[in-house]
Amino acid sequence: MADLSIEFCGVKSPNPFWLASAPPTNTGDQVKRAFAAGWGGAVWKTLGNPIVNVSSRFGGVDYGSTRMMGLNNIELITDRPLQVNLDEMADVKKHYPDHTLIASLMVDTREEWHEIIQKVEDVGSDMLELNFGCPHGMCERGMGSAVGAEPEVLKTIVGWVMEKANVPVIVKLTPNVGDIAEPARAALEAGADAVSLINTVKSIVGVDLDRMVPLPVVGNGSSNGGYCGPAVKPIALHLLGQTAKVFPKPISGIGGISTWRDAAEFMALGSTSVQVCTAVMHYGYRIVEDMIEGLSDFLDEKGMDSAMDLVGKAVPQYKDWGDLDLNYHVVADIDPDKCIGCQLCFVACMDGSHQCIHIPGMSDEDKKKAGHVAFPTDVPDRPVTAKGGTPGARIPYVHEEECVGCNLCALVCPVEGTITMVEKRKAPESETWNDRVAAGKDLVPGGLDATRKARGAD
Amino acid sequence: MTRLPDDRLETKLPDKAPLYTRPEAITEANRCIYCVDAPCVQACPTGIDIPTFIHKIATDNVKGSARTIFAANLLGTSCARVCPVEVLCAGSCVYNHWGREPIAIGRLQRYATENAIAQDAELLSKTRKPATGKTIACIGGGPASLAAAGHLALDGHTVHVYEKRAVAGGLNTTGVAPYKLHSEASLAEVELILALGDIELKTGVEIVDGEAGEGQVLVAKLAADYDAVFIGIGLGPDNALGVEGEEGEGSVGAVEYIERLKLESGMGLDGIGTALVVGGGNTAIDIARELAQLGVPDVAMVYRKTEAAMSGYHHEMVDARKDGVRLVENRQPTGVVREGGKVTGLKVKATDTGAEETLACDLVAMAIGQSRLTKLAAAFGGVELDGKGRVQVDPATHRTGNPKVYAGGDCVNGGKEVVNAAQHGKLAARAITASFGGEEN
Ligand SMILES: Cc1cc2nc3c(=O)[nH]c(=O)nc-3n(C[C@H](O)[C@H](O)[C@H](O)COP(=O)(O)OP(=O)(O)OC[C@H]3O[C@@H](n4cnc5c(N)ncnc54)[C@H](O)[C@@H]3O)c2cc1C
Ligand SMILES: Cc1cc2nc3c(=O)[nH]c(=O)nc-3n(C[C@H](O)[C@H](O)[C@H](O)COP(=O)(O)O)c2cc1C
Ligand code: SF4
Ligand code: SF4
Ligand code: SF4
């Protein structure tokens, strides 16, 4: 069995699964229940001067019959007295000395930072996480994402923290920036030991059309909030990938992680630990059992002895577009035994891609009318034979010469495994756009006159 | 593994609920709400954490899903296929009340267990505790004993399973409807259990009281040689009606006949135009459906009361009708009619009007219950039977009046489901390990 324990900035953690700073880490009782369920660490709900919260606070986005694909909140940092939190943190550390306890902090002045750091270190916090990410309520007060989006301000504050802190410092980044590399570099330059990302994405999840108030409704108004949950995973993965390129120290990945596979993906793209909030708010601490088991089995299957071996495995393969091989080419291939003849691929290719999927039996005239631009001869006329197929329907035919290999048909096909993308290289050797630029072969015919002239192509 | 003949009649009946493909399973798993206090769990006699195992299928953690299932039910593979889920887990799924199909829990369970075992044959044996030096005898090689043996082996004990038949698996091998589970699949599960630890299966050995002949071992010897004994002998041969003409060819006991359908080489049903099944329980419905599906042109169940009073499941009767089975209500058989030894009819008396008639037929199958074998159990000092011949046990530990002797399955409950036997075996194994002062698995 693979060793799931990790080392993060020198701190040992039983596994990479941590709870993000949020309602699931609001109180000591909660964190103790979470550790008992198997979570390896917890970032306490952000501490600072207690705030006042509104009601209601959360909005959900459903997709089809799937509940809460995305979650939005307008909650602030902890609303509990600091001392109550501190006492509970000490108690958690007493019961779970080997689990990772991280204090999330958000205060304003240098004196406040120094005071709160002293206090959370005194109760045994293993690390600090600076919340420079909260996109609502706190930024208007010059904290949270107001800091995260201003590299210079971020550097100053991290500087204050580094003067005082004795334990490793993690800077939590906001996704609400143009280029995540800027705050990541600023954190590095200021001496931070690690970064975590992402905090929530600025959002409005909907509008109550009866009251004409955005969601979530607070009396006669609402405010923009922070978006998280499975919906933000692709955004988080991208920002993580960008950060991993410029930040050579440990990263804690956050954003939409719900399963062991999500966690494995974040680790492959550079996270040493992963943090979870929404999935726990939806299903409870119990989901960690599946995450631990799934990751452990996955590592065993891949022959990795330790979770640490997975960290960053996919980072080198995350490249700039200009470094991708232009001679790599795939074409769609339809399995005639599985196709049910729904023609979703046909319509997707006709209206959303390159008009290269044909329905057998159409005359060239009909094809022209339908919108085809190329007319293959010998389109095989194959009736659908799969169970549940449309009676009399024909298996669509992919005109390979025209197929650009975009994946769209395979993405829309409802019968998994029916459309596979088959590799048909254009040439054995690799050629990237950057190679073309270097060779001066990057002018694609059919462009503007002004460009041709400027490039001296005529 | 015991090789069964290829030309068994049961091989003609295909799986009614084939193994899900991965996309099918994941789609179905994603419908599950992942209830916290789930009604389906309460309805499972072994208390499998159903929402968790289904959630794990949805995340593609198939091995983890199987671990969750087996932790509660070592016979999860066969239960997935033979459990009457319509009246158990799936029957209580929240979806039933919303006008939607309940989650196909049985089929998901089959997907998880079969695929996980295929991926990793040692999935379960890895968790085995170190050897304890204790040895337990299990009498009978059916579901109850297999569950007990498996849990005991995982706890580190040595287990000897005595089975009088040539094949183990009990009614899972010899009785369950083939379209749910074929005999090979049952034998594959037996192998799975045997591989869990130090279990020796002794087939063709019958435990008897009194005098031991060839292939027989005495109760007294077990009592003396083993640290504990588990009795899982199930039920005995089919009960007879006790009417004229019942003895002889063409008039059969249902359970015995099903065993032949499932295991006998080269059996045929030629010449059977009409088959009558006497009874209104699940065995009656099963044999009627099997005969109809195997091509007997006319199959009817003859029941002494009305349909509403039948002990067979309603959903099974609905499916039986789809197979073409007729139900003749309010008829009490009074004799089997023979011409030149060959069965030609069944004499019946209407229980409401008293009118008598003879229903023409070529085969009569009696499905009116099975006898008890539990005298054997009582041969262990201290073991008691109730008025219906069932072995009396403490429900929490399945210990009999003899502190070294435990019992479970049909011989205790008078005949229920495989899943009940699996639960009894588990409870008994836990109690046996606890009685040794050990930690149960
Ligand atoms: C026709 C039929 C169909 C069924 N269909 C289903 C179904 O679809 N789903 C379901 O859940 N349940 C079904 N059941 C019920 C289910 O099969 C039983 O509840 C279950 O098999 C009980 O397990 P057991 O171990 O107690 O007994 P059994 O399965 O009867 O096993 C007992 C074993 O002990 C052996 N034995 C008996 N005496 C001795 C002895 N003295 N020495 C050595 N060995 C001995 C027997 O040969 C047998 O192999 C069905 C039952 C019947 C009769
Ligand atoms: C209701 C709610 C409150 C949150 N409060 C905090 C907070 O106090 N401090 C913080 O750093 N992040 C906070 N977050 C952000 C989470 O820690 C996390 O970064 C984000 O939800 C993305 O992860 P997820 O997709 O797993 O939910 C909050 C999120 C939610 C939903
Ligand atoms: S989840 Fe709990 S706290 Fe929130 S609205 Fe419902 S009852 Fe109230
Ligand atoms: S989308 Fe898939 S199933 Fe539908 S016609 Fe195309 S290949 Fe066939
Ligand atoms: S199977 Fe049905 S009852 Fe059970 S957890 Fe899923 S939805 Fe809930």
Side-chain angles (χ1 to χ4, degrees):
Chain A
M1 272 232 311
D3 176 9
L4 284 194
S5 71
I6 56 159
E7 203 177 300
F8 192 101
C9 298
V11 177
K12 274 276 214 184
S13 191
N15 63 47
F17 302 111
W18 297 351
L19 289 169
S21 173
T25 59
N26 218 20
T27 68
D29 279 345
Q30 284 176 287
V31 174
K32 281 194 276 186
R33 277 195 285 125
F35 286 170
W39 292 90
V43 188
W44 207 273
K45 174 73 186 171
T46 304
L47 304 173
N49 284 308
I51 50 70
V52 177
N53 268 316
V54 293
S55 169
S56 60
R57 302 174 200 179
F58 307 150
V61 176
D62 300 343
Y63 190 73
S65 54
T66 301
R67 295 288 271 164
M68 231 165 88
M69 180 197 74
L71 173 72
N72 147 295
N73 82 89
I74 53 172
E75 174 177 304
L76 306 182
I77 66 170
T78 188
D79 52 9
R80 310 167 78 224
L82 184 59
Q83 196 56 48
V84 172
N85 280 308
L86 291 170
D87 291 345
E88 291 177 4
M89 289 168 78
D91 180 56
V92 166
K93 204 61 212 174
K94 197 175 91 198
H95 284 89
Y96 291 93
D98 299 330
H99 284 60
T100 310
L101 182 68
I102 300 165
S104 169
L105 308 174
M106 187 198 287
V107 288
D108 197 7
T109 66
R110 180 164 177 260
E111 291 65 39
E112 287 173 352
W113 279 107
H114 285 194
E115 180 185 339
I116 202 162
I117 290 168
Q118 182 72 53
K119 287 187 161 144
V120 298
E121 286 189 354
D122 285 349
V123 296
S125 303
D126 296 303
M127 284 184 265
L128 312 179
E129 186 180 83
L130 315 185
N131 179 353
F132 294 160
C134 184
H136 48 265
M138 304 310 290
C139 41
E140 290 86 336
R141 304 171 200 194
M143 292 183 269
S145 64
V147 177
E150 284 301 331
E152 285 311 313
V153 183
L154 184 148
K155 251 197 234 175
T156 308
I157 298 182
V158 175
W160 296 343
V161 170
M162 300 317 292
E163 291 164 12
K164 177 76 184 170
N166 293 308
V167 295
V169 174
I170 308 167
V171 174
K172 184 167 180 178
L173 301 178
T174 173
N176 302 303
V177 292
D179 179 5
I180 197 75
E182 290 181 9
R185 281 202 196 94
L188 188 67
E189 284 162 20
D193 302 290
V195 292
S196 57
L197 77 170
I198 59 175
N199 209 310
T200 53
V201 182
K202 277 196 182 193
S203 62
I204 293 180
V205 287
V207 176
D208 179 331
L209 289 176
D210 295 321
R211 300 203 216 180
M212 286 298 165
V213 177
L215 299 173
V217 172
V218 183
N220 57 3
S222 186
S223 188
N224 57 287
Y227 198 42
C228 51
V232 308
K233 180 186 139 188
I235 297 167
L237 271 179
H238 161 244
L239 296 175
L240 167 67
Q242 291 285 86
T243 304
K245 284 177 193 248
V246 301
F247 193 84
K249 293 178 173 180
I251 304 175
S252 185
I254 321 169
I257 297 166
S258 316
T259 68
W260 65 269
R261 187 183 292 274
D262 295 334
E265 290 172 8
F266 273 74
M267 294 178 79
L269 260 189
S271 305
T272 301
S273 72
V274 293
Q275 299 185 25
V276 179
C277 163
T278 304
V280 167
M281 289 181 69
H282 194 164
Y283 295 118
Y285 301 126
R286 60 186 170 143
I287 60 169
V288 77
E289 186 215 340
D290 171 55
M291 299 178 102
I292 289 172
E293 206 174 28
L295 183 67
S296 170
D297 283 348
F298 168 77
L299 293 172
D300 287 349
E301 275 158 30
K302 297 288 172 199
M304 294 189 209
D305 297 332
S306 155
M308 295 298 282
D309 295 346
L310 174 59
V311 177
K313 273 276 181 305
V315 172
Q317 289 73 253
Y318 171 39
K319 299 179 183 173
D320 284 341
W321 190 94
D323 288 328
L324 302 181
D325 181 6
L326 296 170
N327 286 336
Y328 178 78
H329 186 65
V330 290
V331 293
D333 179 68
I334 298 176
D335 183 340
D337 297 329
K338 290 187 182 157
C339 170
I340 58 169
C342 66
Q343 313 303 3
L344 278 165
C345 56
F346 166 75
V347 82
C349 189
M350 286 307 288
D351 296 0
S353 194
H354 287 71
Q355 298 82 43
C356 55
I357 298 187
H358 294 257
I359 297 180
M362 275 162 85
S363 66
D364 281 1
E365 190 69 16
D366 289 344
K367 283 186 183 168
K368 223 176 254 160
K369 254 197 222 148
H372 283 293
V373 286
F375 306 95
T377 48
D378 302 332
V379 172
D381 185 20
R382 298 169 299 180
V384 164
T385 55
K387 247 192 338 200
T390 310
R394 305 280 133 174
I395 312 265
Y397 169 76
V398 179
H399 187 200
E400 244 184 65
E401 288 70 34
E402 295 291 310
C403 173
V404 300
C406 72
N407 281 350
L408 183 65
C409 55
L411 297 176
V412 301
C413 177
V415 190
E416 198 187 283
T418 301
I419 303 188
T420 37
M421 303 304 293
V422 183
E423 194 172 323
K424 296 254 158 108
R425 292 191 63 86
K426 288 186 181 154
E429 71 283 359
S430 155
E431 187 195 28
T432 70
W433 182 254
N434 290 342
D435 293 338
R436 284 201 195 175
V437 173
K441 291 195 299 184
D442 58 331
L443 192 66
V444 181
L448 299 171
D449 295 339
T451 314
R452 291 170 59 81
K453 213 153 131 201
R455 297 286 300 267
D458 290 312
Chain B
M1 194 169 119
T2 326
R3 177 116 178 83
L4 298 171
D6 293 329
D7 57 349
R8 292 165 294 130
L9 263 184
E10 73 155 3
T11 60
K12 297 197 172 142
L13 300 178
D15 272 9
K16 78 168 179 191
L19 182 64
Y20 271 147
T21 62
R22 181 173 167 279
E24 283 168 347
I26 290 180
T27 306
E28 182 65 5
N30 275 311
R31 284 176 64 222
C32 169
I33 296 165
Y34 197 13
C35 302
V36 176
D37 192 356
C40 56
V41 177
Q42 290 179 20
C44 170
T46 58
I48 294 176
D49 186 346
I50 293 163
T52 296
F53 98 68
I54 294 180
H55 175 72
K56 289 179 180 178
I57 291 175
T59 72
D60 222 0
N61 174 13
V62 173
K63 284 198 253 174
S65 179
R67 287 187 196 105
T68 300
I69 295 163
F70 288 130
N73 183 348
L74 275 182
L75 301 186
T77 324
S78 62
C79 282
R81 301 174 59 175
V82 308
C83 270
V85 295
E86 296 85 347
V87 297
L88 295 174
C89 53
S92 62
C93 172
V94 291
Y95 275 112
N96 290 294
H97 309 285
W98 299 340
R100 289 195 258 166
E101 277 291 300
I103 303 297
I105 301 172
R107 294 190 72 179
L108 288 172
Q109 184 170 319
R110 178 174 180 190
Y111 172 82
T113 50
E114 285 188 16
N115 283 300
I117 295 301
Q119 280 172 28
D120 183 0
E122 279 145 39
L123 186 73
L124 299 172
S125 51
K126 280 178 202 156
T127 63
R128 186 169 66 233
K129 301 250 160 67
T132 60
K134 300 282 185 189
T135 309
I136 299 106
C138 292
I139 314 179
S145 283
L146 289 173
H151 284 288
L152 289 167
L154 289 175
D155 286 347
H157 311 309
T158 298
V159 187
H160 295 167
V161 177
Y162 292 91
E163 168 56 57
K164 68 179 177 191
R165 285 182 163 76
V167 287
L171 286 164
N172 255 348
T173 305
T174 66
V176 164
Y179 43 82
K180 294 182 186 168
L181 188 78
H182 293 100
S183 307
E184 296 100 329
S186 170
L187 294 182
E189 185 175 58
V190 172
E191 293 298 317
L192 184 74
I193 297 289
L194 295 182
L196 293 178
D198 188 8
I199 307 177
E200 194 185 328
L201 172 64
K202 299 166 188 276
T203 48
V205 183
E206 183 178 17
I207 306 303
V208 293
D209 187 30
E211 254 169 67
E214 178 79 11
Q216 295 183 324
V217 172
L218 283 178
V219 161
K221 184 164 166 53
L222 295 193
D225 290 358
Y226 290 92
D227 296 301
V229 175
F230 178 82
I231 305 172
I233 51 177
L235 302 175
D238 297 280
N239 288 330
L241 257 181
V243 297
E244 204 189 315
E246 193 178 356
E247 302 281 305
E249 211 185 319
S251 165
V252 298
V255 176
E256 190 193 326
Y257 200 70
I258 291 172
E259 180 166 352
R260 291 182 54 207
L261 293 180
K262 285 178 71 76
L263 295 173
E264 195 175 291
S265 168
M267 182 177 173
L269 298 174
D270 295 346
I272 304 177
T274 297
L276 295 182
V277 177
V278 178
N282 284 314
T283 298
I285 302 180
D286 270 14
I287 190 171
R289 294 191 63 188
E290 287 158 31
L291 291 171
Q293 289 180 25
L294 284 167
V296 172
D298 180 30
V299 181
M301 290 168 58
V302 179
Y303 182 50
R304 67 198 150 93
K305 295 189 202 160
T306 62
E307 183 169 356
M310 275 173 59
S311 63
Y313 298 129
H314 173 71
H315 67 267
E316 283 284 348
M317 196 59 225
V318 169
D319 287 343
R321 288 211 165 86
K322 288 184 195 149
D323 290 333
V325 173
R326 293 185 293 124
L327 176 65
V328 182
E329 295 167 293
N330 296 319
R331 296 290 188 285
Q332 177 69 41
T334 52
V336 176
V337 185
R338 293 175 182 273
E339 274 170 32
K342 195 185 164 302
V343 170
T344 57
L346 180 67
K347 259 200 268 181
V348 296
K349 184 172 170 182
T351 48
D352 38 7
T353 64
E356 295 196 22
E357 63 183 317
T358 296
L359 307 173
C361 66
D362 310 295
L363 179 76
V364 180
M366 304 298 177
I368 51 167
Q370 291 169 259
S371 58
R372 302 275 186 258
L373 299 172
T374 43
K375 265 213 195 90
L376 182 81
F380 287 94
V383 177
E384 284 174 23
L385 308 181
D386 71 2
K388 293 180 172 169
R390 297 176 297 198
V391 182
Q392 295 289 88
V393 297
D394 164 45
T397 58
H398 277 258
R399 188 180 291 134
T400 64
N402 179 328
K404 256 175 67 171
V405 178
Y406 298 72
D410 282 358
C411 67
V412 164
N413 60 27
K416 281 192 173 164
E417 314 291 346
V418 171
V419 65
N420 303 101
Q423 173 70 355
H424 293 178
K426 177 178 78 181
L427 291 176
R430 282 186 181 158
I432 291 171
T433 297
S435 78
F436 299 151
E439 211 185 294
E440 66 263 19
N441 211 316

